[in-house]
Amino acid sequence: MTDWTREQMEQRLVRYADLVPCRTAFLDTRTPGSTEKENFTIIGPGVSESADQFVHITEKHGFNIGAARQPFGCINSQHSHETAEVFVVHSGHWRLLFGPNREDGTLDIAPGDVVSVPTRMFRGFEKIDRGLGFLYTVLGEDDPGKVTWAPAVFEAASDFGLKLTKEGMLIDTSAGDYTLREADLAAPIDTGHAEQLVTPPLEKLLQCIVRAGMAEANPQSPLAREGVQEAGLIVPQATDDGFAPGPIVGWWPHGFNLRLLTLESGAFVPPHARSEAEVLFVQSGALEMRWGEESLFLGAGDTLTVPKGLYRSYRNTASVPAQVFVTRGTENPARPVFAA
């Protein structure tokens, strides 16, 4: 298929400069240390608790794409997820904090690092260097469910007038426009539930990270050619497109693959189509995507979702390498079909 118009494709492109933030996305939005964070829902509903959250692309992909942007010292409070949560560090240095009260250790991550945090454990994150930083995130499943907050987060939020309904929507009790009798409010999880959300040992958590520059290119990738490398980052099982499991496999479902596609200056991937959802996030450099007679140019921080079945080609037209994180739907992507 090549009958996608440029206008239609531009609706599938979310440029970094056009991201619409939400400053009231979660229960901890007024807690000191967390007030300056910006949350983004790029693809899918995400896990935002605010009716003010803007969703850029609503089409179901089998996973969600989001992001967080925070200044130095800003904290995203301790919480747990029921589906996969993957962090791709676009910019800045960050510290992951483990345990309901941050008592179970930390892990520092830097630009280009990828971490898949196990489900059903408490985690938070803090921006630890000067300036703004941007974390790109992938959440598992079309409906990633609700966030489970650590009990202390509930207590701190209540002090600032914020409550959650049982459906996971944020209510501002200080606004004076509703009464508590009108809402069925969520309560903090009990001790028994909290004790089930156990932090794995650090040596096991280290199986869930790939540091920048450590990803190994797969010569069996159908995209591999002169100047083009594709490395697996999250590959839960052997795939039909030639990838062995690893380096991040996980003992919980992901429902997608995460790859790193690198194109040297002038390198080209010829026209091919995919049967799965494919989302591109440009980490660095620039990338031209062409379909038929049309093309789009992507820069660092831009996100594009490519339609299933569309024959597309990629070229690096810049003088520096392009690094692109690719989220590919399903745990077993098929081989691409190249144009004759």
Side-chain angles (χ1 to χ4, degrees):
M1 291 180 58
T2 59
D3 55 350
W4 285 78
T5 68
R6 182 179 177 86
E7 181 181 17
Q8 288 173 319
M9 290 299 294
E10 285 178 339
Q11 293 174 359
R12 304 177 70 89
L13 171 62
V14 182
R15 296 202 181 277
Y16 182 85
D18 295 334
L19 284 167
V20 178
C22 182
R23 298 288 291 270
T24 59
F26 293 110
L27 184 64
D28 64 342
T29 190
R30 287 188 184 154
T31 305
S34 299
T35 58
E36 298 301 313
K37 64 179 180 176
E38 299 175 300
N39 291 94
F40 305 91
T41 300
I42 301 174
I43 295 175
V47 290
S48 174
E49 297 161 343
S50 174
D52 296 331
Q53 182 76 62
F54 180 78
V55 179
H56 286 269
I57 297 172
T58 59
E59 177 187 321
K60 291 183 177 180
H61 283 60
F63 53 84
N64 283 239
I65 301 290
R69 187 166 58 199
Q70 298 177 196
F72 169 67
C74 189
I75 295 173
N76 194 302
S77 301
Q78 302 307 103
H79 63 282
S80 176
H81 287 282
E82 295 297 314
T83 71
E85 181 180 47
V86 173
F87 298 116
V88 175
V89 185
H90 180 60
S91 61
H93 289 72
W94 303 74
R95 178 164 294 147
L96 299 181
L97 313 159
F98 303 125
N101 297 297
R102 310 175 196 167
E103 73 274 36
D104 290 343
T106 64
L107 182 65
D108 289 357
I109 51 178
D113 290 350
V114 172
V115 182
S116 183
V117 181
T119 57
R120 298 185 59 78
M121 63 165 284
F122 285 111
R123 84 296 305 272
F125 48 90
E126 178 183 7
K127 177 69 165 43
I128 59 173
D129 63 345
R130 299 288 175 183
L132 283 175
F134 189 76
L135 274 181
Y136 179 85
T137 62
V138 187
L139 297 174
E141 303 185 16
D142 286 321
D143 180 3
K146 300 189 295 291
V147 172
T148 298
W149 294 101
V153 179
F154 258 90
E155 182 178 348
S158 181
D159 290 342
F160 293 91
L162 294 181
K163 303 280 188 179
L164 277 182
T165 69
K166 287 187 176 179
E167 289 72 34
M169 292 306 296
L170 195 62
I171 289 179
D172 184 357
T173 66
S174 67
D177 57 358
Y178 96 108
T179 68
L180 286 176
R181 291 189 298 274
E182 296 171 349
D184 194 5
L185 296 180
I189 61 173
D190 59 35
T191 302
H193 186 182
E195 289 176 348
Q196 296 175 19
L197 306 182
V198 178
T199 305
L202 182 59
E203 58 268 22
K204 199 165 186 180
L205 289 174
L206 290 175
Q207 299 173 13
C208 306
I209 181 170
V210 180
R211 296 288 186 185
M214 299 302 292
E216 296 185 8
N218 178 12
Q220 305 304 315
S221 165
L223 303 186
R225 54 201 9 93
E226 184 177 357
V228 180
Q229 297 180 339
E230 187 180 22
L233 299 169
I234 298 175
V235 183
Q237 64 176 74
T239 68
D240 290 343
D241 67 342
F243 281 75
I248 299 175
V249 175
W251 53 91
W252 65 99
H254 279 82
F256 55 85
N257 273 227
L258 184 68
R259 313 276 180 83
L260 177 61
L261 183 64
T262 303
L263 287 80
E264 300 298 327
S265 180
F268 176 71
V269 178
H272 61 285
R274 294 268 183 186
S275 57
E276 311 87 14
E278 181 176 74
V279 176
L280 311 178
F281 174 74
V282 180
Q283 174 71 3
S284 60
L287 186 75
E288 178 191 21
M289 191 202 82
R290 178 170 289 276
W291 71 103
E293 299 301 316
E294 299 285 357
S295 64
L296 286 174
F297 288 86
L298 285 67
D302 293 348
T303 301
L304 174 69
T305 173
V306 185
K308 296 178 184 178
L310 176 72
Y311 280 93
R312 82 299 299 266
S313 63
Y314 301 133
R315 185 187 298 275
N316 179 4
T317 58
S319 59
V320 297
Q323 287 197 316
V324 183
F325 287 103
V326 182
T327 306
R328 196 161 288 138
T330 83
E331 294 196 349
N332 181 18
R335 293 183 68 84
V337 176
F338 284 88

